[in-house]
Structure formats: structure tokens, C-alpha cells
Amino acid sequence: MNWIDNFVRPKIRSFLSNKRETPENLWVKDPESGEMVFYRDLEANQWVVPNSGYHMKIKPADRLETFFDDGKYSLVPIAAVPVDPLKFRDQKRYVDRLKEGRVKTGFDDSVIVASGKLYGRDTTVAVQDFDFIGGSLGMAAGQGIITGLETAASRKTPFVLFVASGGARMQEGIFSLMQMPRTTVAVLRLREAGLPFFVVFTDPTTGGVTASYAMLGDIHIAEPGARIGFAGARIIEQTIREKLPKGFQRSEYLFEHGMVDMVVHRHKLRSTIGSLAGILMRNEAVDELASSAMTTTTRVSLRDAAAAAESDDDLALMPPAAHAE
């Protein structure tokens, strides 16, 4: 009986229950249309749903790989900061939340700084990762932004910031809020050096981040459908006791009302920023961008440059004599 119970019956059960299971992450549901999209198709399309065009969250490593030339870049070290200065604890200890974020993302905090080539030109990029405690702004994240700005200033490169955040990190209290003026001073130093600062708003960007360095760029670009604001829409409605307009705090609405300079599809971000950086840095034209030159004589505006970069044809960078408004 032992042989039957221990071997035969389990073997029979294994044959009967030997169904091929589908991995849970093989298909991803589009939050907008409900369409099920194959994981590999999304990954190959930079996490943009092919049919609806919905921009899903993209990991920092994937973002950097698709932005830099040939996907090559090097991470810039960020100085260490005190961990859990307030010894904060809510449902769990703050240090435990930090450990979970590091295991989940593979990075020390929510901001990653990298340097590489964009159309052959040195560029410094920082990415804020929403998966790390909601991309919240703490001392480490603030130090990351400052490191990116100072690196760009010292290397004489443009600085590009892909921002996504739920706001200040409450577990660090006043230390978190102090990152707002600290990063503002670093932005001013980059501006004094005459170097461009591009901010790319991704979904979502809210709270103290929107109230500080995210709104201090030279050019503000938003991905389609990104939520951008300070307080949440529901809080605003309860405060003013009025119904907000449709699409309020979305990138398209904010573009129409002048809060952002342009809304650019993720596939066009690389060429758009490369074109604008070339104009603002007064660099010579790049063959890859100049393959379909935009005809002009002596003058080109940033709006025209952005419109050309977003079109099917890439923008030709203007020679040093051209004037950019």
C-alpha cells in the first residue's frame, strides 16, 4: 500500500494535472482600452501600446538604452546621504521600505544619473523611477538631481531629466522639503553656465517635484497622457467645490494652456531633444538628423524646430550663425 500511496497515486495526479501554465506577465492589459498586449511586443515598442498609443511606465534602464546612441551609457556615482535621519516608522520601518525599493528596482534610490552620447554629442541624463517609493523626493533623490546638474555643468553638456514622482518623501520630513531649494540652486548654476536643461514629464509628476526643479527647465516636454500637477484632481475639486474640466492635469490640456512647451510621443523624444540641444548649444548639423533638411534662411524658432522634430522627417540642425528664439 505504501508503494501505491507514495508513488503510483502521485504519478497519476501529476499526469492528470500536467497542464501548461501561462506566465502571469506574458500578457499585459492596456489600462485605456483593456486590450491584452504581448509582453515582447510592448518591450520592443518602448512600452507604448501599439493600437491605442497609451504610454505605459518604462524602466530607467530601458529608457536610457533607447535614448542614448547604440544604447551605451555609463552611470554617474551619487554621493551617499544619511539613511532614515528621523527614525521614521508607520506600518513598517522606513529602512525596510528602502530595502524593498532597492530589491524591486536594483538601484539605491529613485534617481539614476547617466552620461553618454546623443547623436554623437555628450549628454547627461537623469531618470526618476516611480517604482522606488513612488519616485518620491528625499535626500538621496535630491542629491541625485544635483549630481546630474553639476555633472552637466562640469562636462559642458545639456542636461535631460525624465521626471516621475508622487511628491516629497514624508518619511524624511523637513529634510525632504529642503531638497526643493537645493535643487533650485543647482538649476541656477547650470543656467549661469549657459547650458540647456530639458524636462520630460512622464506619468505621473506631482507634488513638491512639480513645485521645484521640474518646472525650472528651459524647455518642458510631456509624454502623451501624462498627469502633471501639484495636488490631486479630487483634492482640488473638494477645495474649490467645482467640477474640473475634462482632461485636467493631462499633458494635452496643459499644452493648450501654456504650462508645457510640447507634447512628444516617446518614439520622437530622442530626435526632438537632439534637435533642440543642437540649436541651443549652437552645434554643427549631424548627418543623421540632417538627412531631410528643413529649408530656412537665417532664422529658426524653437516651435518650428520642435514641430519639425516631431514630424516624420528629422530636423536639420542649424549652423552656428542661425538664431534661436
Side-chain angles (χ1 to χ4, degrees), residues 49-69:
V49 179
N51 292 333
S52 69
Y54 181 85
H55 284 51
M56 304 188 75
K57 291 182 177 63
I58 181 172
K59 294 181 179 179
D62 295 337
R63 172 86 70 180
L64 295 171
E65 186 176 346
T66 56
F67 187 76
F68 284 115
D69 294 350

Side-chain angles (χ1 to χ4, degrees), residues 152-269:
S154 64
R155 299 181 182 180
K156 305 298 181 183
T157 71
F159 181 59
V160 183
L161 172 62
F162 293 92
V163 59
S165 176
R169 189 171 297 176
M170 69 174 188
Q171 290 90 345
E172 295 186 15
I174 189 65
F175 296 103
S176 174
L177 297 178
M178 284 303 298
Q179 306 313 306
M180 298 169 67
R182 289 185 71 226
T183 53
T184 299
V185 171
V187 171
L188 294 177
R189 289 175 179 170
L190 185 72
R191 188 165 298 164
E192 289 174 357
L195 298 167
F197 175 27
F198 299 95
V199 177
V200 181
F201 293 98
T202 67
D203 184 47
T205 303
T206 60
V209 169
T210 308
S212 55
Y213 55 83
M215 278 299 168
L216 296 177
D218 296 303
I219 297 179
H220 297 101
I221 304 171
E223 288 189 337
R227 287 170 291 173
I228 307 166
F230 182 69
R234 184 175 61 181
I235 300 298
I236 297 174
E237 285 184 338
Q238 292 174 352
T239 302
I240 66 176
R241 298 183 180 180
E242 291 184 11
K243 188 69 177 176
L244 295 173
K246 184 178 180 181
F248 182 76
Q249 290 186 332
R250 293 289 177 174
S251 54
E252 291 79 8
Y253 180 92
L254 298 179
F255 170 70
E256 292 175 1
H257 291 79
M259 189 171 174
V260 298
D261 297 310
M262 61 189 77
V263 178
V264 180
H265 193 282
R266 187 173 291 168
H267 294 171
K268 296 291 184 179
L269 281 174

